[in-house]
Amino acid sequence: MDIRMAGVTKIFHPDIVALEDVYLNVKRGEFVYFVGHTGSGKTTLLRMLNRELSPSSGQIIVGKYNLRKMRLGQLPFYRRQVGVVFQDFKLLPHLNAAENVAFVLEAIGMPGRQVAERVKAILTRLDLWKRRFLYPEQMSGGEQQRLAIARAVVNMPSLLIADEPTGNLDMETAESIMDILFSINASGTTVLMATHNQYVVDAFRARVVRLSRGRIVSDEPRGEVELYGDL
Amino acid sequence: MATFKYIIRDTMRLLTRHFGVVLLTLVTVVAVFLAVGMSILLSVNVASLASQIESDLTVEAYLKDQEARSAVLEKLKNMPEIKEVRYISPEEALKRLDAKIGQGEQIISLLGDNPLPPSVIATVDRAENLSPIAREIEAFPEVEDVIYAGEVAERLASLAYFLNRFAMAVFFVALLTSLVIMMNTIRIALYSRREEIAVMLLVGATPSYVSLPFLLQGVILGGVGALIALFLLLRAYRWLIDVLSRVLPFFTMLDSPDISLWLFCLLVGGGVALGWLCSWTAVYKYVRRALKPR
Ligand SMILES: Nc1ncnc2c1ncn2[C@@H]1O[C@H](COP(=O)(O)OP(=O)(O)OP(=O)(O)O)[C@@H](O)[C@H]1O
Ligand SMILES: [Mg+2]
């Protein structure tokens, strides 16, 4: 899905300006990093695209959806096309790995057999099939991260949003996560990823959008960037 | 269909996860609907008794002696409001008493003599003529005493009216109580699953999908509670009918399949509606708000 943000500003009550006058175009199938200091507005921008947040002003158009004009009743159907890997995973603690992935499909009314097939396929792909009966608290950080990705992509979204998917992971695990994200991207899914990881940005080249205090300060198509170069 | 299965599974999860709270709610609902059912039964029975008595258009006049018979009969036959007159001799009176309470023989052997006076039973044409006619007959010199249903019926009717109001009050208090308790139970369930609800909404579940297990939980609590109450109530009522028919044989309580059906519809329908209403108010608003972008 193509993404167009025009003049997007987000002000949190009462006067915290998290995003200011953001213009951004992303073509379908692109891979985009969002970088910037902590508090620069990366998460806010991504949450806007999932319509967890709605802009204080400006337009956001994703595919055929005009997010600001979207009715509440339409929102669930929009979200089914957007996979999100949350910064804090948001896995459900009382469900095991397989159930955590399955419930996304169940929630949209997919028949049981199909759910089982899809869950098996995605868990196998992310190397979690052996761990399918484990509960989130029994899994390592990298496994939880992969599970969160599995849940985000199991419904084959056309847009994948990943907020710091390599945070707290060692280099090798981070690499394997990036391999997964790029392979998902290769199958046509637009991927937007917020990161602080210089190594990842260097090793897996893609467009880099840099935010600072809620504004886009640079946009490198094939980003050879120093993440904190503006320090 | 698959969705339906998941929703049922989730509902069962809800009902079993907080089993203590669920049980407590169920007990409350049962108690509340018992109270409602009892007050309804009481008021309809009194009302039916009153109308039974009211529909009795006869005046019974006890005569001073047997000789007065022809004079009284003559006078009564000349009154246009009176449709029918019947003389009852002391012997017949005894037989009727015997049929009613089955102890006439004992009374005679107790008193050695038939103590019952001769009487006439006059049937008037319309209920509003009952008391004027009865008073007129009472004024006859040959008449000792007059018994008619009007007075009793009037008292019962006002009692029934009062009981009706009472049943209404019980109904509203009960409604309010169960409303509050049920809402709280649903809220606890909601609260315990707020993260799950948030995540479900984030991955594209519709508000109705998320709400349905909670709505069903409410419906099941209300419906099952009312059903249990109904069962207990009908058992108790049947028992009461049996006892009363032995102790007070002339007092007939309402007893028909109709009344069970009627109570079933009223209580179980009320329980289901109440459960739905409670959970709908608590859940749907919550879920919609959770879905709304901030
Ligand atoms: N719900 C909220 N209410 C008020 N202020 C908020 C809210 N969410 C974010 N903010 C503020 O908006 C600004 C941007 O936050 P955001 O989470 O987007 O930063 P970030 O770039 O994702 O940072 P990090 O790299 O640490 O994750 C911050 O100053 C933050 O305090
Ligand atoms: Mg963030």
Side-chain angles (χ1 to χ4, degrees):
Chain A
M1 291 198 282
D2 289 340
I3 299 168
R4 259 188 41 226
M5 298 178 95
V8 171
T9 296
K10 180 65 183 179
I11 300 170
F12 285 108
H13 185 81
D15 56 358
I16 300 171
V17 182
L19 281 182
E20 198 174 352
D21 204 24
V22 167
Y23 285 81
L24 177 74
N25 287 314
V26 176
K27 285 217 187 57
R28 157 178 188 189
E30 263 193 288
F31 192 116
V32 184
Y33 290 113
F34 290 87
V35 301
H37 291 289
T38 180
S40 57
K42 305 181 293 294
T43 299
T44 305
L45 190 149
L46 295 181
R47 288 176 75 198
M48 213 80 93
L49 292 171
N50 187 30
R51 203 158 161 69
E52 263 185 82
L53 298 177
S54 104
S56 309
S57 64
Q59 290 294 324
I60 303 179
I61 293 168
V62 182
K64 61 180 171 106
Y65 297 93
N66 184 335
L67 296 202
R68 277 201 92 182
K69 287 190 185 147
M70 184 185 289
R71 303 238 316 275
L72 210 54
Q74 245 188 316
L75 183 51
F77 302 97
Y78 168 69
R79 282 184 178 165
R80 288 171 193 189
Q81 300 172 49
V82 181
V84 183
V85 183
F86 298 95
Q87 201 163 1
D88 56 353
F89 308 151
K90 294 196 196 300
L91 298 169
L92 297 177
H94 63 279
L95 299 182
N96 67 32
E99 290 165 344
N100 256 293
V101 177
F103 100 88
V104 176
L105 302 176
E106 292 171 356
I108 65 174
M110 192 179 280
R113 237 197 29 227
Q114 210 177 333
V115 170
E117 278 168 16
R118 288 258 198 120
V119 169
K120 178 166 185 188
I122 198 71
L123 287 185
T124 309
R125 182 166 171 202
L126 295 191
D127 201 19
L128 285 170
W129 183 240
K130 272 192 197 158
R131 307 229 173 345
R132 63 189 179 280
F133 295 122
L134 294 189
Y135 287 85
E137 58 164 21
Q138 297 170 311
M139 304 172 87
S140 75
E143 286 163 357
Q144 288 184 33
Q145 186 64 263
R146 294 210 301 278
L147 184 56
I149 294 174
R151 188 182 66 185
V153 300
V154 70
N155 195 27
M156 305 176 180
S158 25
L159 171 62
L160 177 65
I161 292 170
D163 200 350
E164 305 236 21
T166 60
N168 288 324
L169 298 182
D170 63 38
M171 210 182 278
E172 266 169 55
T173 320
E175 269 180 22
S176 77
I177 297 284
M178 291 314 295
D179 282 335
I180 293 163
L181 291 182
F182 272 89
S183 81
I184 289 163
N185 178 239
S187 63
T189 301
T190 311
V191 180
L192 308 181
M193 168 175 160
T195 187
H196 284 288
N197 194 323
Q198 176 79 59
Y199 168 74
V200 158
V201 176
D202 286 343
F204 298 83
R205 284 294 162 80
R207 179 178 168 190
V208 180
V209 172
R210 184 201 301 276
L211 288 163
S212 174
R213 291 182 196 152
R215 290 175 166 275
I216 292 183
V217 291
S218 76
D219 189 343
E220 304 283 330
R222 196 84 191 137
E224 281 185 47
V225 289
E226 287 277 313
L227 281 196
Y228 302 112
D230 60 338
L231 263 180
Chain B
M1 239 29 243
T3 313
F4 187 67
K5 200 182 81 196
Y6 303 133
I7 286 174
I8 296 293
R9 185 194 65 193
D10 269 18
T11 309
M12 288 308 137
R13 260 195 208 149
L14 276 179
L15 286 172
T16 47
R17 180 138 22 121
H18 302 280
F19 189 65
V21 181
V22 165
L23 201 68
L24 212 65
T25 312
L26 208 58
V27 171
T28 318
V29 174
V30 170
V32 157
F33 277 93
L34 263 181
V36 170
M38 279 195 293
S39 51
I40 288 174
L41 277 179
L42 187 65
S43 86
V44 295
N45 266 296
V46 172
S48 109
L49 189 65
S51 74
Q52 263 174 48
I53 291 177
E54 220 168 33
S55 69
D56 181 6
L57 294 178
T58 57
V59 180
E60 194 164 2
Y62 294 102
L63 307 182
K64 290 205 171 112
D65 46 47
Q66 301 233 30
E67 283 73 67
R69 170 187 175 181
S70 51
V72 171
L73 282 179
E74 196 55 38
K75 279 194 226 170
L76 290 179
K77 275 181 187 144
N78 288 332
M79 296 171 87
E81 296 89 347
I82 289 180
K83 281 198 318 204
E84 201 188 318
V85 186
R86 215 156 70 75
Y87 174 74
I88 304 216
S89 66
E91 295 75 44
E92 201 187 338
L94 187 62
K95 251 186 249 152
R96 279 160 52 116
L97 187 66
D98 200 32
K100 253 190 187 168
I101 56 176
Q103 281 164 349
E105 306 281 350
Q106 285 173 35
I107 292 176
I108 294 200
S109 63
L110 209 66
L111 298 171
D113 197 8
N114 185 351
L116 298 172
S119 62
V120 288
I121 294 180
T123 308
V124 300
D125 53 355
R126 268 177 293 142
E128 58 265 32
N129 289 331
L130 192 62
S131 347
I133 293 291
R135 265 179 233 119
E136 217 172 300
I137 298 175
E138 201 168 13
F140 293 178
E142 303 88 342
V143 169
E144 182 105 71
D145 197 7
V146 155
I147 289 183
Y148 65 103
E151 212 179 350
V152 186
E154 261 163 40
R155 287 217 187 127
L156 273 175
S158 67
L159 180 65
Y161 176 80
F162 168 77
L163 281 175
N164 223 325
R165 287 290 134 113
F166 178 72
M168 218 55 150
V170 168
F171 185 76
F172 279 111
V173 170
L175 197 78
L176 224 66
T177 315
S178 44
L179 215 79
V180 169
I181 302 245
M182 204 117 86
M183 287 267 247
N184 259 358
T185 307
I186 302 284
R187 285 231 181 85
I188 289 171
L190 266 180
Y191 186 76
S192 77
R193 305 231 310 185
R194 64 196 184 286
E195 280 172 41
E196 203 169 332
I197 292 172
V199 176
M200 284 170 96
L201 291 174
L202 280 176
V203 300
T206 56
S208 14
Y209 176 87
V210 177
S211 308
L212 258 175
F214 296 95
L215 295 183
L216 282 183
Q217 184 196 23
V219 167
I220 288 174
L221 280 176
V224 169
L227 260 181
I228 294 174
L230 180 75
F231 174 76
L232 295 177
L233 195 69
L234 289 181
R235 291 296 298 260
Y237 193 60
R238 167 89 9 235
W239 175 81
L240 196 68
I241 287 178
D242 281 353
V243 169
L244 280 185
S245 72
R246 264 181 282 122
V247 181
L248 302 169
F250 45 86
F251 178 77
T252 47
M253 285 168 76
L254 284 178
D255 178 22
S256 70
D258 271 4
I259 202 166
S260 316
L261 188 69
W262 202 69
L263 268 179
F264 174 85
C265 294
L266 206 73
L267 292 190
V268 177
V272 166
L274 189 78
W276 183 269
L277 193 79
C278 283
S279 30
W280 199 85
T281 348
V283 173
Y284 201 71
K285 215 171 56 189
Y286 176 88
V287 172
R288 290 276 296 190
R289 196 179 314 134
L291 182 62
K292 212 168 249 162
R294 260 146 260 271

